[in-house]
Amino acid sequence: MSSTPEIPRVVVIGAGIVGCSLADELTARGWTDITVLEQGPLPAPGGSTSHAPGLVFQTNASKTLTALARYTVEKFTSLDVDGVSCFHQVGGLELATTPERLAELHRRAGYAASWGVRGEIVSAARCKELWPLIDESLILGGFHTPDDGLARALLASRAQMARAGARGARFLERHTVTGIEREDGRVTGVVTDRGTFPADHVVSAAGFWGPVIGRMAGIDVPLQPLAHQYARTGPLPELSDATAEASKPILRFQDRDLYFREHTDRIGIGSYAHRPLPVDPFAVLPYDEARARNMDMPSSYPFTEEDWAPSWADCRQLMPTLRDAEIEAGFNGVFSFTPDGMPVLGESRRLRGFWLAEAVWVTHSAGVAKAVAEWMVDGRPSIDLHECDLTRFEEAQRSPSYVLERGAQQFVEVYDVIHPLQPMERPRPLRVSPFHARQQQLGAYFLEGGGWERPHWYEANAPLVDALGPLPARDAWSARHWSPVAAAEAKATREGVALYDMTPLRRLEVTGPGSLDFLDRMTSNNLRKKPGAVTYSLLLDASGGIRSDLTVARLAPDRFQVGANSPADLDWLLRHAPADVHIRDITSGTCCVGVWGPRARDLVQPLTPDDFSHEAFGYFRARETYIGHVPVTAMRLSYVGELGWELYTTADLGLRLWDTLWEAGRELGVIAAGRSAFNSLRLEKGYRAWGVDMTDEHDPFEAGVGFAVRMDRDDFVGKAALAGKGETTRRLTPLLLDDPAAVVLGKEPVYVDGLPAGYVTSASYGYTLGRCVAYAWLPAGLPTGTGVHIEYVGEKVPATVADEPLFDPKMTRIRR
C-alpha cells in the first residue's frame, strides 16, 4: 500500500459548486496540493451548477440538511466577485392553499425553531405584501424565512476557485476522466484524455456523472439523474421598474409543485409537477457535442411543452398577471436524486482514498464541502452525517432498478406532505422475515424500513381494544399510521406475553483468534467476560462521539454475535479489523423473535430442555439451546422493560420457531405485537434509539448511556477524548406531557422560559403511564419538575422534566 505524503495529493473530479467549494475548504485546512479536473470549460462547465436557479430554503425535516444549508448561506454571504455578493438574501416564502399544507408549514416552522433558522407563520395578507403578484384569495397563510435567498452558484464557484488557487490549488478545464488507477485496494491516480494525475485521495464531485466515475473506480453510486422543468417569462409590466435581480422572497407553491424567483423584470418558474424524466448518466453528451446539437450545455435538455401545460395553468391561477404573459425560454435541467433524497458522502472501504461528494444540490454545497473536508483532514466531520453516509443503503437497495424507481419517486415527492412514518409504495414487499405469511394472516399493518416489511400492529388484536377503556382522541396527523390496537398490544405485553418480530435488526458474526481483543478495543464496555455473557456497549469515534450502540454476545471464546444498527457499523468494523478477525453480516440468513412479558417464562420453559429460571439464566446472558425442534441462540434481553428473551435461529427454521411458540402460547393468550407498541414500551423504559436519540454528535455521558463506558479498563477508541471532556452542557432529557390527551411525534422545538432551548428526538404515547413520553436534547441541569413547552403544529403543549426510567426504575419486572 502506498504511503500518504505529509501534504496529500488530492484530485477532485468536477469543478461545479461542490468541487470548487471542496477545493476552498481543503486548502483552507492546509491541504494545498489540490487538482480539480473538469471535462467542460470553466467557469461554467455545463453541469447542474451551470443552470441551477439558486433557490436556497434552509429549513428541512433533516437536522443535517438544515445545518449544511445554514453553512452554505453563511459562507456564500461572505463571498463576492467584483463587488457582487454570491448570495442574495431576499428571504423565502412558502404558501399554503389547503389546510393540510398550512399544518405542514406549521411543522416546518417547528423544524426551523428546532434547528436554529429564523422563520414565522404569516397571514395571507402578509404573503400578499411580500409577493404582490399573487392572488390573496387562494392563500390560507405562509411560512416566511428572512435569511433564505438566492445562491449565485457560478459566482460562488469563481470566488472559491480564486481563493483555493491562491493557496496552491489548480483547476484544469477540458480534462475528461477516463479511468481511476489503484493498487492494493487504494486509489493512486486519475487518468484523463490529457494525462494521468497521481493522487492519494480522489473525490468524485461529478454531479449526475457520479455513476460514470464510480464505475471507473469499481464503486456503485446510488444516484439517478432526472430532468426538471424550468421556464422564464417574458418582461412583465408589473416588474418594469425593477433594477435589482430580485427584490421579493424566493417563492414556493408546493400545493402545485412549483417555485418562483425573479429575474429582474421576468419571473423564473420551476416545476416538479410533471412526469419523472430519468436520464442515463452514461448517455449524457460531452460539452462540445451538446453545443453542436443546439443544447446550451450537457445538463440542459429541450423543453417539453406537453409537460409544462398543467403547471402553466396553475401559475396563471396563482398570479393573474401571468394570464397575459408568455414563456420566453425554458429547458429541462438535469440534476441528481437518490433513493432517499439525501446526498451520498464518504470514503469507500473497498477503494481507500476514493471519496464521494455526490447528489448534492446548491442549497447544501458549501456545507457538504466543509463536512467532507473535515472528514478527510481531521478524520471526522463536525456534524452528524449518518443520513448521508455512502454505506447507509442495504445491498437490496443498491440495484440499478431500485435506484431508478426510488429516485424517480423522490422527484415526485419533492413537495409532497410526507408523514414521518409514511412508507414507500414500491418496490414492496422487498425483504420479508420468515414469519411474514403468519403476520399477514393476523392482519399485520406493515410499514417499511431498510427494505424490510415491519408489522406495526395486528388487526387480529382489535378485539382487545374494547377492554382498554377510552383512549385520548388523536389529531389527523398523529393518527396517521397509528391504531388504538397498539395500546392493546402494549397492555398485553405488560400483562401477559407477546411475540415481536426482531428480524430486521442487524446481526454480525465476529470470529477468529483476535476477535476478543479487537471488539474490546473497538467498543466502550468491558467484553472480557466468560462465554454466555451479553454486553451493551458503544462504538465511539476518536472524539468520543457515539457511532452506534451494540449488544455483544460472547457465544464461545473466539465467537461473538453482535447486534448492530446499520450497514455503516459493519463497514466501520471491517475497516479496522486485523487479519485474524473475520466479520460477516448474518442478518439475511437468520431471524429473531422477541418473547416478552411477565408470562414469557411460562411460554418458553416447557419448550426447552434447559433451565430458563432467573437463577440459571440471568439477565444479559446467552445460551445455545432448542425451542421444540428448533436450535436457537437465546439471549435474555428486553427492550420493552419486561421479562423475556430474544430467540435467534436460521431463516429456514424461522417459520417453525414462530409456529412452535404460537401453538404453545395459545393457552397463555399469546399475541403478536408490532413496532408501534414496541416504541411506546421502550420509551417508557428510556431505552435510546441510535440515529434518532443519539448520534456521533453526542458523547455517552450527555446521552445518558455512560453506564456502557468503562474508563477504568485498557485503551479503547474514544477513551482519551472522553477523559478530556469538560462539563456536560446538554442532556438527553425525559419529558412527560402534562395533558393526558396530548401527543407529539419528534423533531418539535422545546421552549424553556419562552425561548427555544432544544428539540424532541423520540416521542410516543406511554400507554402504561397514561401520558405521552418525549425525549429531548435540552440544557443540562434542568431539575425534575421543570415546566417546558413543546411546539406541536403551532400550539405550545406543556410538558414537565421527569426522572428516568419512567417505568419500573428498580428493574424488578425484567429481573425475575
Side-chain angles (χ1 to χ4, degrees), residues 233-284:
T233 69
L236 300 177
E238 291 84 354
L239 302 179
S240 59
D241 294 333
T243 55
E245 176 189 5
S247 60
K248 302 174 186 62
I250 52 176
L251 183 69
R252 276 176 169 166
F253 182 23
Q254 290 139 306
D255 289 325
R256 292 295 183 268
D257 295 311
L258 293 165
Y259 64 81
F260 303 83
R261 59 153 294 181
E262 295 169 282
H263 293 279
T264 313
D265 61 348
R266 295 161 168 82
I267 293 179
I269 308 163
S271 171
Y272 294 100
H274 56 83
R275 61 193 168 95
L277 300 168
V279 173
D280 181 356
F282 295 89
V284 176

Side-chain angles (χ1 to χ4, degrees), residues 355-376:
W355 296 77
L356 295 180
E358 296 292 7
V360 182
W361 294 5
V362 171
T363 299
H364 311 109
S365 54
V368 163
K370 176 176 181 283
V372 172
E374 292 170 336
W375 208 341
M376 296 175 70

Side-chain angles (χ1 to χ4, degrees), residues 758-774:
Y759 59 92
V760 174
T761 57
S762 292
S764 180
Y765 200 86
Y767 302 108
T768 316
L769 303 173
R771 292 284 193 281
C772 183
V773 179

Side-chain angles (χ1 to χ4, degrees), residues 74 90 107 152 157 266 287 332 387 560 628 697 730:
E74 175 187 328
V90 292
R107 286 187 287 271
R152 297 180 172 115
S157 296
R266 295 161 168 82
Y287 186 91
N332 290 1
E387 294 176 308
F560 296 80
E697 288 186 356
R730 60 182 178 180

